Amino acid sequence: MSIAEILLEKELVTPAQLTEAMDLRSGEGLRLDRALVQLGYLSEDKLLEVLSEQLSIPLIDLASIEISKEALSAIPSKLVFRKNVVPVSRDNGTLTVATSDPFDLYSFDELRLLTGLEINPVLAPQDEIAKVIKARFGVGGDTIDAMMGTDLEVISETSEDGQDLVEMAQEASVIKLVNEIFMEAISERASDIHIEPYEHDLDVRFRIDGVLQPASVPPQIRSFQAAIISRLKIMANLNIAEKRLPQDGRIKLQVGGRQIDIRVSVIPMLFGEGIVMRILDKSTVMFTLPQLGMDPHTFGLFNDLIARPHGIILVTGPTGSGKTTTLYAALEEIVSDKIKVLTVEDPVEYHLDGINQIQISPKIGMTFSRGLRAILRHDPDAVMIGEIRDAETAEAAIQASLTGHLVLSTLHTNDACSASTRLLDMGVEPFLVASTLSGAMAQRLVRAICPHCKEAYLPDREQLPQDLLIELPEGTELYRGAGCRKCRNTGYHGRSGLFELMLANDIIREKMMNRASTTEIVEAAKANGMHMLRADGWDKVRAGITTPEEVLRVACG
């Protein structure tokens, strides 16, 4: 039976779908099975199951197989990338090779002639093969191989010939390599790319879910350090000849129909220039308030806060804890045709519809405080300040609140109750803080357990913190990620927020007036029902959202 007859018999496709695939096959020169997959009528997994059954070729799970070094070294990396195959094992003169195309007999013959071994094909999905190739041979491995075989001259870091640097950075192979690094980072959901030069190496690392992880790049990438850095500088409109001073720039990319902004920071280091690139992808970072992970009680209280006509609401936490994302979500919640919202940011990370956003520029005197005073003359209802950094900005925010505006901003403190004492430390009068601060919310980000490899386990209670054990009955199971291809074997995929919200009531305002310590304000807030950051973390551990290790990593006792 033909493949078409088998698929119809198994009711995997309809006659109409088959006809459409045949038209596509004749128009674009595709095989019928590939045409069905391209049209979306048949998944590759189902197709491989049918081919495995009909051709008696085993279908394997590449993610669960340990590939031997002996097998990997049997085929040159150039051929692996070109033929899109993965050597799995080598035994008694036979090389087992994973492929997604069992009909590519020419490739099997070429491998047989090249290796002198019998080729035993097994089937695996194309995306799984691609992941193994990246993991074993590195991102851009084929590009590196091609570059190593060309006459591309690698200019040393001491070169002063700027024109040579430009020509080198514009080589098609260098452009392709840099693009592949970007594509890999975006597909892995990385928030940052770190390129770090050492004496005999060039490290590339991605920050995924808040934790740095090595990128799979070939070791030969060190030979093209100058070309890669020059290419990135050109993309960010930086001076490629300047290697002694730090530089900052911005790159805009179009990926799959969506625009991605990349903030670039270049700093000279001992063995060359180090680059850190922050990836700003609006489609993956923009959340609504319900998506942030607040418990229903905190969500209700925070919703009431942002619905007020005036007052200051502060979101606190360290760098990278999601403060700006929370503020954007809050603005999305309140923006409407009846409300004018203005923001003053450094930089403007994401463009929000219906909100007027202002980029500050300290070089020309456009500071947070000056921008805030100016926008108050534009009759706003709500104002967002990217960050309160100094006394001048704090005073301007206070005045904005006193004149009937809702003010949202961020502050660098470890907990919610430290927000008021931080404002006092900046020199703001206690009565002004007490009369304008409506509430402060501290937050952290924890990695969420990967849903693809999530498993229950019975924890060793002696290894758990006492404040978790209080509400954890004996014999209660917790959850963790076993590690899989989807999560890069980390056991985590995505992140969730931990929150503590302090509401300013009469007792807390009185303590602010009296310059009470943070400890006293914490006790008053707990008496008022404040749910502490760490307690919120333990709630998420019991709910199977994250692990005890993650809560301990971001929230101290």
Side-chain angles (χ1 to χ4, degrees):
M1 295 175 69
S2 67
I3 288 293
E5 291 170 332
I6 294 167
L7 293 175
L8 286 172
E9 184 181 287
K10 291 181 176 290
E11 297 183 349
L12 294 174
V13 296
T14 65
Q17 291 171 342
L18 203 59
T19 301
E20 188 177 346
M22 286 177 176
D23 292 340
L24 182 65
R25 178 183 65 173
S26 57
E28 297 190 12
L30 290 173
R31 283 208 323 260
L32 181 61
D33 55 335
R34 294 295 181 192
L36 286 166
V37 171
Q38 184 171 311
L39 288 167
Y41 295 143
L42 183 66
S43 71
E44 187 184 21
D45 289 343
K46 283 291 183 187
L47 172 62
L48 290 178
E49 285 178 15
V50 171
L51 293 177
S52 173
E53 182 182 328
Q54 292 302 119
L55 303 176
S56 299
I57 299 177
L59 178 62
I60 64 168
D61 179 12
L62 270 180
S64 63
I65 290 178
E66 186 63 37
I67 300 174
S68 68
K69 290 183 179 179
E70 188 184 18
L72 288 171
S73 61
I75 304 177
S77 59
K78 287 182 183 179
L79 206 58
V80 169
F81 283 102
R82 185 156 55 87
K83 298 299 183 182
N84 225 12
V85 296
V86 172
V88 176
S89 63
R90 180 176 178 174
D91 185 44
N92 293 330
T94 299
L95 184 67
T96 300
V97 176
T99 179
S100 62
D101 186 1
F103 300 110
D104 189 7
L105 301 180
Y106 178 77
S107 291
F108 302 149
D109 289 339
E110 190 174 347
L111 290 173
R112 187 178 296 109
L113 289 170
L114 182 72
T115 62
L117 302 170
E118 280 300 313
I119 302 300
N120 176 40
V122 292
L123 296 178
Q126 173 58 45
D127 60 340
E128 288 298 318
I129 290 174
K131 286 177 182 176
V132 172
I133 291 175
K134 284 180 183 177
R136 296 290 185 166
F137 297 93
V139 178
D142 53 341
T143 307
I144 290 285
D145 281 341
M147 290 162 72
M148 294 297 285
T150 67
D151 295 327
L152 178 67
E153 182 184 0
V154 180
I155 308 296
S156 70
E157 282 78 1
T158 57
S159 170
E160 297 296 331
D161 191 341
Q163 185 58 39
D164 283 350
L165 287 174
V166 172
E167 290 175 0
M168 180 172 58
Q170 300 291 27
E171 285 276 350
S173 50
V174 176
I175 293 171
K176 183 182 177 188
L177 176 60
V178 170
N179 288 346
E180 285 175 348
I181 291 173
F182 278 135
M183 289 301 299
E184 177 69 4
I186 292 165
S187 69
E188 293 288 347
R189 304 174 299 105
S191 61
D192 301 84
I193 304 172
H194 291 239
I195 298 178
E196 304 161 322
Y198 296 100
E199 187 173 7
H200 303 296
D201 198 9
L202 182 70
D203 273 4
V204 180
R205 296 193 288 173
F206 299 152
R207 189 175 293 280
I208 302 171
D209 295 332
V211 177
L212 279 173
Q213 299 180 27
S216 298
V217 293
Q220 302 96 319
I221 198 170
R222 174 69 177 87
S223 303
F224 305 96
Q225 174 181 332
I228 292 168
I229 291 173
S230 297
R231 172 61 188 163
L232 290 170
K233 283 183 174 181
I234 288 171
M235 293 176 75
N237 293 316
L238 301 178
N239 182 358
I240 66 168
E242 178 56 74
K243 299 183 177 183
R244 302 163 301 169
L245 296 173
Q247 298 186 71
D248 293 320
R250 199 162 190 161
I251 298 171
K252 287 190 176 183
L253 299 177
Q254 194 79 16
V255 180
R258 67 184 197 268
Q259 186 170 300
I260 292 175
D261 282 351
I262 298 174
R263 293 211 309 258
V264 181
S265 174
V266 184
I267 298 180
M269 295 181 180
L270 188 59
F271 299 107
E273 291 172 288
I275 298 185
V276 174
M277 293 172 281
R278 168 65 57 88
I279 300 172
L280 304 172
D281 183 355
K282 181 177 179 180
S283 65
T284 60
V285 177
M286 288 304 297
F287 293 95
T288 61
L289 270 184
Q291 294 174 321
L292 296 180
M294 294 184 201
D295 67 84
H297 180 66
T298 302
F299 174 74
L301 294 175
F302 189 70
N303 238 351
D304 291 341
L305 272 185
I306 61 176
R308 294 182 182 182
H310 57 81
I312 297 177
I313 302 168
L314 297 176
V315 180
T316 75
T319 302
S321 59
K323 302 185 297 295
T324 304
T325 299
T326 299
L327 288 184
Y328 280 156
L331 292 179
E332 286 278 12
E333 191 75 18
I334 64 175
V335 70
S336 71
D337 293 338
K338 298 178 181 178
I339 292 178
K340 177 160 185 172
V341 180
L342 285 163
T343 75
V344 189
E345 304 172 62
D346 180 27
V348 175
E349 293 188 4
Y350 303 101
H351 304 296
L352 304 174
D353 292 335
I355 295 173
N356 299 275
Q357 296 170 275
I358 298 169
Q359 168 81 52
I360 76 159
S361 179
K363 290 181 181 178
I364 59 171
M366 181 61 169
T367 60
F368 275 121
S369 55
R370 186 171 182 177
L372 181 53
R373 289 192 180 95
I375 65 177
L376 292 181
R377 294 192 287 273
H378 274 240
D379 188 30
D381 296 288
V383 173
M384 185 192 101
I385 310 168
E387 183 185 342
I388 295 179
R389 297 176 179 173
D390 50 41
E392 195 178 4
T393 307
E395 291 282 2
I398 295 284
Q399 292 303 317
S401 173
L402 289 173
T403 52
H405 301 89
L406 178 67
V407 180
L408 295 92
S409 188
T410 69
L411 203 61
H412 283 288
T413 65
N414 288 328
D415 55 39
C417 295
S418 297
S420 59
T421 53
R422 180 80 181 93
L423 292 175
L424 295 174
D425 290 342
M426 286 181 179
V428 181
E429 292 295 334
F431 72 91
L432 290 175
V433 175
S435 59
T436 57
L437 186 61
S438 300
M441 184 165 71
Q443 70 176 68
R444 300 288 190 278
L445 292 176
V446 291
R447 290 182 292 174
I449 297 170
C450 175
H452 305 285
C453 60
K454 185 176 181 179
E455 64 178 16
Y457 74 103
L458 198 61
D460 181 356
R461 295 180 70 86
E462 291 183 3
Q463 302 296 319
L464 297 178
Q466 287 302 312
D467 50 341
L468 170 58
L469 290 173
I470 292 172
E471 295 185 35
L472 193 70
E474 192 79 41
T476 302
E477 289 186 330
L478 297 181
Y479 293 86
R480 64 188 174 195
C484 64
R485 184 85 62 191
K486 297 279 187 182
C487 63
R488 295 171 64 103
N489 291 312
T490 62
Y492 300 99
H493 191 281
R495 289 190 283 181
S496 181
L498 305 185
F499 303 91
E500 71 177 27
L501 178 60
M502 180 202 75
L503 298 177
N505 61 7
D506 291 341
I507 296 172
I508 291 175
R509 293 184 195 281
E510 185 178 345
K511 290 189 178 295
M512 292 177 188
M513 289 279 290
N514 296 328
R515 292 183 178 270
S517 67
T518 300
T519 305
E520 293 178 74
I521 296 176
V522 168
E523 291 304 319
K526 287 167 73 174
N528 190 37
M530 182 177 76
H531 196 51
M532 300 297 288
L533 199 67
R534 190 154 149 141
D536 190 35
W538 298 143
D539 287 345
K540 288 179 169 61
V541 167
R542 287 187 287 268
I545 295 171
T546 190
T547 62
E549 293 79 13
E550 273 298 289
V551 176
L552 291 171
R553 182 176 66 87
V554 302
C556 57

